[in-house]
Amino acid sequence: MRDDVDPADGQTALRPAGWPAPPIQKAHERSETFGLCVSARPDYDILSNAGLGLKREQNRVLCAHAMPVMETLHEQIVNTQSMIVLTDAEGLILHSIGDDDFLQRAEKVALRPGANWAESRQGTNAIGTALAERCAMVVHGDQHYLAANRFLTCSSVPILDPYGDVIGVLDVTGDYRSYHQHTMALAKMSVQMIENHLFTTTFQETLQVSFHGRPEFLGTLMEGIVAFTSDGRFLSANRSAQFQLGMPLAALRAHTLSSLFQITSAQLIDRVRASMDPHLALNLINGAVVCARVQFRRASVADGRRPIDDHDAARPPARACAPQPAAPGAGSGSGSGLSRLSYLDTGDPQVALVITKVRKVIGKDIPILITGETGTGKELLAQAIHNDSPRRDGPFVAVNCASIPETLIESELFGYEEGAFTGARRKGAVGKLLQANGGTLFLDEIGDMPYPLQVRLLRVLQERLVNPLGSTKTIPVDVAIICATHRDLREMIAQNRFREDLYYRLNGLVVRLPPLRDRSDLAVVVQKMLQRESLAGADRPPLSVAPDVMALFERCAWPGNFRQLGNLLRTAAAMVDDDGQIRREHLPDDFFDDLRRGVEPCAAGADAAACSVDSADSIGAPLAAGVAFAPAGARLQDVAASAIAAALARHGGNVSAAARALGVSRNTIYRKMPAAEPGRTSDDD
């Protein structure tokens, strides 16, 4: 050990000498070739504000994705005598945040925005050496080449763009006497988060495969992500995917979807659309079997911005919900009967108790948390609360945190400025929080919100101010918050997967919606759903359910709750004969499979991706795999024709096969199928 003087505060401290590290030795040799002197005053040339602003503009995509992550990282290391630094690919510091007292000390050695920390300027240091070596680097104390910097310990990680090029460095710097070994791990995780954000927003119209050998790691920073064109050509892979596949990016560019996952793009998309489980088992090129989630993204026709996930097509989109048309005899008073609390009170005592509790807190600025299994109608209850509240004339904005890709939730909630990231809309976009201003924001599946974003949401709820991505301005917002989840949030808190402070900010009133199998009003619910179907086909007789079918409904465990029931009734309504009665032959095969297997519902706390996503608008789901949404108000004849046409197309015009797939007779197919070209259908079995 030897004594040295901290140039920032003049204090004497003990510091270990002699650090045998080849990268550090190479960095010192490079520093000598630059003509730097150990005792020399560093190059403190700082860019002007205008010059720094230009550099930030040139790196606006990097800054937009990195700044929120830096804020989250700072929350984890606050009060540790440290700071977080973001640089560009040349080592120029773009942004820094940290403890105020340490920032003042760092200013003395120009560790601040506008300063360049390349090796040629500062000698051996974590930022410059990480750029030179293209790998994560810790430079501790007297490992720094310049004596002026030896009071620091720096942990730097290069940030790579989706094409494998270095675009910047994330650095955590602190007093060398308070260095923690976990700092580098936090920095690496933060960089991985930034890179994954960049990856997902760069490849918008692609086939993406997310995978891991352990299914519980899907949706986390550990998952591998590979992007392909629609015909299976390789585009890129994130770091985790490169590690799991055992090849660097350069080697992966010679591969295709078929060679990496032993399946063609057409086969993969067919498997995804035919599967009820969003997770598939795929074989890697190295022989390993992994759990995968497949997403086929294409630009939204509506705004050209938000990608559409074909596999999640059955999920309700985040949207501002308009009032629903009232069913005959439903509800009372003004407004939409379907979306009023009175409409939801259908005779079940558990639901009646929920409605009683909710009515007592409406309009009193008390947040409401709705719990219950997936598909129990949480969004419909939230809509009804809004429509019965003093905010009924304001917007109702619903965001499903499970159905929006993790990398997009932040921009969906907070909005962004023009040019905030690659693929951003011109003139930016207003986030859901601001869209809900003056009304109600419904955060469905709040338990699936990424942990880092929970910090930002808590801040918004406390301060009622929103910072769009890429913007320095704050905008006041006035919203009522209703949240819903099928998860056990207390258990998630114990596992450090949900913030305790956010939980207690959201759970002013907690109510639980019972699953369909535990309700006593199934017959009333079925009748109300059929009334909506009858409205959609007003030229048909009223729909009804045969007594033996209703008995089957009473026996079913309904693992998908109202969403499953709504899908079944919509499909059956499209298949009924002229009398309008739903009989056994109109029910899909999987319903009888559920009865035979005695399917148990998704357990509370199960992964949201393994269960159907809750949807109040369950009637709007697809009739069958590969059939698009039916537009609101579509005639039943058109819905039936669409389902039959899709089934015939899937089975090459084979009427028998299509009939079996739809659970109807061949005569029904012939009677209802759209006009077919000669020779396009057959009875071959």
Side-chain angles (χ1 to χ4, degrees):
M1 310 286 285
R2 71 170 185 264
D3 289 344
D4 276 317
V5 176
D6 183 337
D9 58 16
Q11 296 180 0
T12 300
L14 290 178
R15 183 163 44 78
W19 287 70
I24 298 297
Q25 183 59 42
K26 288 169 57 182
H28 278 287
E29 293 171 359
R30 287 193 298 268
S31 300
E32 291 177 2
T33 65
F34 294 138
L36 298 174
C37 177
V38 171
S39 59
R41 181 181 182 274
D43 181 355
Y44 291 159
D45 186 26
I46 307 295
L47 275 184
S48 65
N49 288 338
L52 178 59
L54 177 61
K55 287 292 185 181
R56 286 173 171 169
E57 175 62 22
Q58 292 170 346
N59 292 272
R60 66 184 185 277
V61 174
L62 170 64
C63 295
H65 287 283
M67 289 298 292
V69 177
M70 292 172 67
E71 292 176 8
T72 301
L73 179 56
H74 182 232
E75 295 276 351
Q76 296 174 301
I77 64 172
V78 68
N79 298 324
T80 60
Q81 286 288 298
S82 58
M83 64 186 295
I84 303 163
V85 170
L86 176 70
T87 82
D88 66 7
E90 307 301 323
L92 180 82
I93 298 178
L94 300 171
H95 293 282
S96 65
I97 56 175
D99 299 334
D100 291 340
D101 53 351
F102 187 77
L103 287 174
Q104 294 175 3
R105 296 175 63 198
E107 286 270 358
K108 297 179 180 180
V109 291
L111 193 60
R112 51 166 288 189
N116 193 306
W117 277 69
E119 279 188 342
S120 60
R121 302 286 192 95
Q122 299 282 349
T124 305
N125 71 90
I127 293 171
T129 304
L131 286 171
E133 297 288 332
R134 284 182 57 92
C135 66
M137 186 67 59
V138 175
V139 176
H140 181 81
D142 63 0
Q143 290 181 326
H144 287 88
Y145 187 79
L146 300 182
N149 297 330
R150 289 178 179 171
F151 73 102
L152 303 171
T153 289
C154 310
S155 303
S156 293
V157 184
I159 303 171
L160 305 182
D161 71 10
Y163 302 100
D165 297 323
V166 176
I167 57 172
V169 169
L170 185 72
D171 169 82
V172 181
T173 289
D175 189 304
Y176 77 93
R177 293 165 296 188
S178 58
Y179 172 66
H180 295 282
Q181 291 183 343
H182 70 267
T183 302
M184 175 54 81
L186 290 174
K188 286 183 175 180
M189 290 177 61
S190 298
V191 167
Q192 197 165 358
M193 187 179 302
I194 295 169
E195 291 180 350
N196 284 355
H197 286 186
L198 286 166
F199 189 100
T200 305
T201 55
T202 297
F203 298 109
Q204 293 284 333
E205 300 182 43
T206 62
L207 179 64
Q208 288 190 17
V209 180
S210 304
F211 67 97
H212 198 282
R214 295 173 59 180
E216 63 268 26
F217 285 143
L218 283 178
T220 72
L221 290 178
M222 305 305 294
E223 72 176 357
I225 311 174
V226 189
F228 302 93
T229 62
S230 59
D231 58 356
R233 288 185 292 111
F234 176 86
L235 291 172
S236 190
N238 71 348
R239 293 201 204 207
S240 179
Q242 295 173 44
F243 175 77
Q244 293 184 67
L245 291 166
M247 283 180 279
L249 196 57
L252 286 170
R253 291 192 178 106
H255 285 272
T256 64
L257 175 65
S258 298
S259 63
L260 291 176
F261 291 98
Q262 316 302 301
I263 190 171
T264 68
S265 57
Q267 291 170 335
L268 183 59
I269 293 173
D270 285 345
R271 278 189 61 186
V272 169
R273 288 175 171 167
S275 175
M276 296 297 292
D277 190 341
H279 294 170
L280 304 175
L282 295 179
N283 297 312
L284 297 188
I285 188 174
N286 57 18
V289 178
V290 295
C291 185
R293 185 180 70 252
V294 181
Q295 296 173 322
F296 182 62
R297 302 181 182 279
R298 62 182 183 272
S300 170
V301 174
D303 59 16
R305 172 175 57 91
R306 185 175 182 271
I308 295 173
D309 181 345
D310 279 358
H311 183 55
D312 291 339
R315 297 175 176 177
R319 64 192 187 279
C321 296
Q324 304 282 349
S332 61
S334 63
S336 165
L338 180 58
S339 52
R340 303 295 294 270
L341 290 171
S342 56
Y343 178 84
L344 302 184
D345 192 357
T346 51
D348 181 82
Q350 301 171 86
V351 176
L353 181 60
V354 167
I355 292 173
T356 299
K357 291 180 178 179
V358 164
R359 280 181 169 146
K360 291 181 179 179
V361 301
I362 284 182
K364 297 181 179 178
D365 196 26
I366 295 176
I368 298 173
L369 177 62
I370 307 171
T371 67
E373 292 179 8
T374 299
T376 49
K378 296 187 284 290
E379 182 175 346
L380 191 59
L381 175 60
Q383 175 79 71
I385 293 171
H386 168 78
N387 287 350
D388 279 357
S389 77
R391 295 175 175 265
R392 66 178 66 89
D393 294 328
F396 175 82
V397 179
V399 179
N400 191 305
C401 300
S403 66
I404 302 176
E406 179 177 335
T407 51
L408 293 178
I409 291 179
E410 186 172 26
S411 60
E412 285 285 329
L413 277 179
F414 299 98
Y416 55 83
E417 293 290 299
E418 179 177 359
F421 52 84
T422 302
R425 293 179 67 185
R426 292 184 61 186
K427 300 183 180 179
V430 178
K432 301 300 182 184
L433 276 161
L434 291 177
Q435 288 181 26
N437 193 26
T440 302
L441 178 68
F442 174 55
L443 295 174
D444 198 5
E445 299 300 353
I446 186 69
D448 292 280
M449 175 171 285
Y451 196 90
L453 284 188
Q454 295 174 23
V455 179
R456 290 199 67 187
L457 176 61
L458 177 62
R459 188 173 302 164
V460 170
L461 297 181
Q462 291 174 338
E463 301 173 1
R464 300 291 173 162
L465 296 172
V466 174
N467 281 97
L469 287 176
S471 173
T472 57
K473 63 183 178 181
T474 57
I475 305 172
V477 63
D478 171 30
V479 295
I481 300 292
I482 303 175
C483 296
T485 183
H486 75 281
R487 296 182 180 276
D488 186 337
L489 294 184
R490 289 184 181 273
E491 182 180 340
M492 293 181 69
I493 292 171
Q495 298 171 352
N496 292 321
R497 295 165 56 204
F498 198 85
R499 292 183 63 91
E500 187 173 20
D501 46 5
L502 178 59
Y503 172 77
Y504 287 113
R505 183 66 182 80
L506 295 175
N507 77 332
L509 171 66
V510 181
V511 294
R512 177 183 176 275
L513 285 176
L516 187 55
R517 65 185 177 279
D518 291 343
R519 293 181 57 152
S520 59
D521 57 351
L522 178 61
V524 179
V525 168
V526 168
Q527 185 56 40
K528 284 182 176 287
M529 287 185 170
L530 290 180
Q531 285 175 346
R532 291 192 67 189
E533 290 300 324
S534 296
L535 283 177
D539 57 338
R540 301 292 302 277
L543 296 169
S544 62
V545 177
D548 61 326
V549 171
M550 183 57 71
L552 295 178
F553 287 174
E554 297 284 356
R555 286 171 44 199
C556 185
W558 299 109
N561 289 298
F562 287 100
R563 181 166 187 214
Q564 180 185 7
L565 176 62
N567 286 344
L568 181 147
L569 291 177
R570 187 171 180 83
T571 304
M575 296 295 119
V576 294
D577 297 317
D578 293 337
D579 60 359
Q581 186 175 68
I582 296 175
R583 292 184 286 273
R584 283 175 176 258
E585 61 265 27
H586 303 136
L587 303 178
D589 291 343
D590 60 348
F591 171 74
F592 295 102
D593 292 339
D594 286 351
L595 285 176
R596 285 191 293 269
R597 289 195 301 261
V599 173
E600 291 298 325
C602 295
D607 189 346
C611 302
S612 300
V613 175
D614 179 35
S615 169
D617 191 13
S618 59
I619 309 255
L623 294 174
V627 179
F629 281 101
R635 297 185 307 162
L636 286 179
Q637 301 98 306
D638 296 333
V639 175
S642 176
I644 290 170
L648 288 170
R650 287 197 304 273
H651 295 282
N654 188 313
V655 175
S656 298
R660 282 197 299 271
L662 293 173
V664 299
S665 67
R666 287 189 302 171
N667 288 337
T668 300
I669 294 287
Y670 283 121
R671 189 169 62 250
K672 296 179 177 291
M673 73 180 182
E677 298 177 17
R680 294 297 300 274
T681 59
S682 73
D683 288 326
D684 296 338
D685 208 359

